[in-house]
Amino acid sequence: MDATLTRLTMTRRFDAAPERLFDAWTDPALVARWLFTSPASTAHTVDLDLRIGGPWRIADTREGVVYTALGEYDVIERPRRLAFTFGMPQFSPEFAVVIVEIATDGAGALMTLTQEPLPADAVAATEAGWSEMFEALAGLLT
């Protein structure tokens, strides 16, 4: 692996059953409320083909600019594991793999997200972006 590429791993606990947390990643109506969107969004579309090899695409408009995230599903194991490719072609032709693992934690769920490969100089901004989205996800689930 190139020394400039790395892996980002984040873990967060949510006060929701694992099934509900998994559904927030896979139900278009729920996804539209937190994933790759922000309070500054003026338009948001979500297209998910939830099957192995199925494509997904999310477009979010902020200040007149359309930001598009897309990829394909690699693993779908409700409610414990989801893996997909992730790219934003307007910024880079490269794609990463995102793995979401969900475990029961008392009355809630513990989620671990891994994204790789990731340019080392993009780790801090990527982590900040995921953290912001996880705050919106936590609000959705409560």
Side-chain angles (χ1 to χ4, degrees):
M1 176 183 248
D2 186 318
T4 61
L5 299 178
T6 189
R7 170 189 303 177
L8 170 65
T9 301
M10 300 175 68
T11 300
R12 174 147 180 177
R13 185 182 187 285
F14 292 91
D15 291 323
E19 293 81 4
R20 191 157 176 244
L21 179 55
F22 188 90
D23 291 347
W25 283 92
T26 59
D27 178 327
L30 298 175
V31 168
R33 295 176 57 194
W34 74 275
L35 188 58
F36 304 119
T37 192
S38 79
S41 299
T42 56
H44 193 76
T45 60
V46 175
D47 296 305
L48 309 178
D49 183 356
L50 195 62
R51 62 183 171 85
I52 303 302
W56 66 270
R57 181 179 179 279
I58 298 173
D60 191 68
T61 304
R62 294 176 220 148
E63 298 179 2
V65 178
V66 179
Y67 297 93
T68 303
L70 53 86
E72 291 183 354
Y73 291 104
D74 295 326
V75 176
I76 304 167
E77 298 173 0
R78 186 179 190 269
R80 55 187 191 83
R81 194 162 200 266
L82 183 69
F84 53 89
T85 58
F86 164 73
M88 293 189 77
Q90 73 199 84
F91 298 114
S92 170
E94 304 298 322
F95 278 75
V97 173
V98 174
I99 300 169
V100 178
E101 296 174 302
I102 300 169
T104 300
D105 185 44
L110 192 65
M111 180 185 77
T112 300
L113 176 137
T114 304
Q115 180 176 338
E116 71 175 327
L118 188 64
D121 62 357
V123 171
T126 302
E127 185 170 17
W130 281 118
S131 292
E132 185 177 308
M133 288 185 282
F134 293 167
E135 284 300 313
L137 175 57
L140 171 68
L141 294 172
T142 54

